[in-house]
Amino acid sequence: YALLQGLFFFLRYFPAGRSIQSLLLILCLWLYAFLTGLTPSVNRATVMFTVAVLGKGLRRSTQSVNLVFFSAFLLLLMNPLMIYDLGFQLSYVAVIGLIGLYPELKAIWHPAHRWLRKGWEMSCLSLAAQLVTAPITLHAFGQFPTYFLVGNIILVPLSGLLIYLSAVFFLACPFHVAASLVAVCLDKFAGGFLELVHQLSSLPFAWTENIHWNSWLVFFSYLFLVGFTLLVRKIRLTDRTGSGQSIY
């Protein structure tokens, strides 16, 4: 979405350019969704961004929580059985965790140094996503990645670069020489990325296995996470009001 928005920036300077830009963004997003097989996680993101683009075009404010639940409603309306798909469950649980838990974890500490702050934010992002998806993965697979925090800090930025490099390859396709050079770079980068994933998963004690949670454990773990999030939020807001800052 960010890449497409940057590519079509010039349309904003023409009459009705914003509407044309919004239409092209939506068409390209759904083209990408079809190319990737319309998986539940891609469908979620595409529906959310489609609604966000439409709201922006209509000059209406949108909230992340509303986008998440509205996209889930639309997808389940089209296919109610999708709720049993693990990809659907993990995708939505992860996004809800990032919206609810991540800001509370990030607010616990405010490093002064810029790079330390970036590292802390990336760690909180990884921790929030892993905590909220862990009950489902333990219930479905009975295993937990021990080095998830280190792995995500390394792999998430690299996966972003991989996506952008793939987009550059598609843009370079009309130019044979440039496309060939980008394809070689993309092939090497993807191979190195997969090898890094393999090496991380091959480390000693990389997986904690044979931990099969039943439905009750999953239920109570989510109750705990919700309670923890609300408690941290209450403490944070109390500290802010106690120091004379308005929570509004």
Side-chain angles (χ1 to χ4, degrees):
Y1 170 77
L3 181 65
L4 291 171
Q5 195 173 36
L7 288 174
F8 299 139
F9 77 95
F10 60 91
L11 292 174
R12 289 176 291 182
Y13 301 104
F14 294 94
R18 291 185 180 273
S19 300
I20 297 173
Q21 184 191 45
S22 299
L23 180 61
L24 287 175
L25 283 171
I26 293 172
L27 288 175
C28 290
L29 286 174
W30 280 103
L31 176 61
Y32 175 81
F34 275 97
L35 287 174
T36 54
L38 291 175
T39 58
S41 57
V42 174
N43 286 342
R44 172 198 55 75
T46 307
V47 172
M48 286 179 62
F49 277 113
T50 299
V51 177
V53 170
L54 290 174
K56 189 175 181 181
L58 296 172
R59 302 185 185 278
R60 301 291 181 87
S61 60
T62 55
Q63 294 184 347
S64 300
V65 175
N66 292 340
L67 289 177
V68 171
F69 286 106
F70 182 69
S71 65
F73 172 76
L74 287 181
L75 293 177
L76 292 176
L77 193 64
M78 293 184 289
N79 182 12
L81 295 179
M82 192 179 292
I83 197 171
Y84 297 107
D85 188 287
L86 276 176
F88 179 90
Q89 295 172 11
L90 290 171
S91 178
Y92 273 98
V93 167
V95 172
I96 292 171
L98 293 179
I99 294 173
L101 184 57
Y102 166 67
E104 309 309 323
L105 291 175
K106 187 178 71 170
I108 294 175
W109 185 36
H110 300 280
H113 193 275
R114 177 186 176 186
W115 292 109
L116 189 59
R117 185 167 62 252
K118 292 292 183 182
W120 171 246
E121 291 174 356
M122 180 64 72
S123 299
C124 291
L125 196 70
S126 176
L127 185 61
Q130 200 68 48
L131 283 176
V132 296
T133 56
I136 295 178
T137 56
L138 289 173
H139 176 70
F141 307 111
Q143 60 184 19
F144 185 81
T146 309
Y147 306 127
F148 72 91
L149 196 59
V150 176
N152 286 345
I153 290 175
I154 297 172
L155 295 173
V156 169
L158 292 179
S159 65
L161 292 175
L162 186 61
I163 292 173
Y164 280 107
L165 189 57
S166 302
V168 170
F169 169 73
F170 280 109
L171 293 174
C173 280
F175 312 99
H176 180 71
V177 176
S180 299
L181 291 174
V182 176
V184 172
C185 295
L186 181 60
D187 181 63
K188 296 296 183 182
F189 191 90
F193 181 85
L194 293 175
E195 180 61 26
L196 181 58
V197 172
H198 175 71
Q199 292 298 328
L200 287 172
S201 62
S202 301
L203 291 173
F205 310 106
W207 295 94
T208 304
E209 298 181 304
N210 299 319
I211 307 177
H212 296 279
W213 282 17
N214 58 34
S215 301
W216 283 109
L217 277 174
V218 174
F219 174 74
F220 283 113
S221 64
Y222 280 121
L223 277 184
F224 172 79
L225 286 173
V226 170
F228 172 78
T229 303
L230 294 176
L231 177 63
V232 173
R233 180 173 298 179
K234 182 178 180 180
I235 294 173
R236 180 165 60 88
L237 294 179
T238 302
D239 290 342
R240 288 175 62 183
T241 53
S243 61
Q245 297 180 14
S246 172
I247 65 174
Y248 301 102

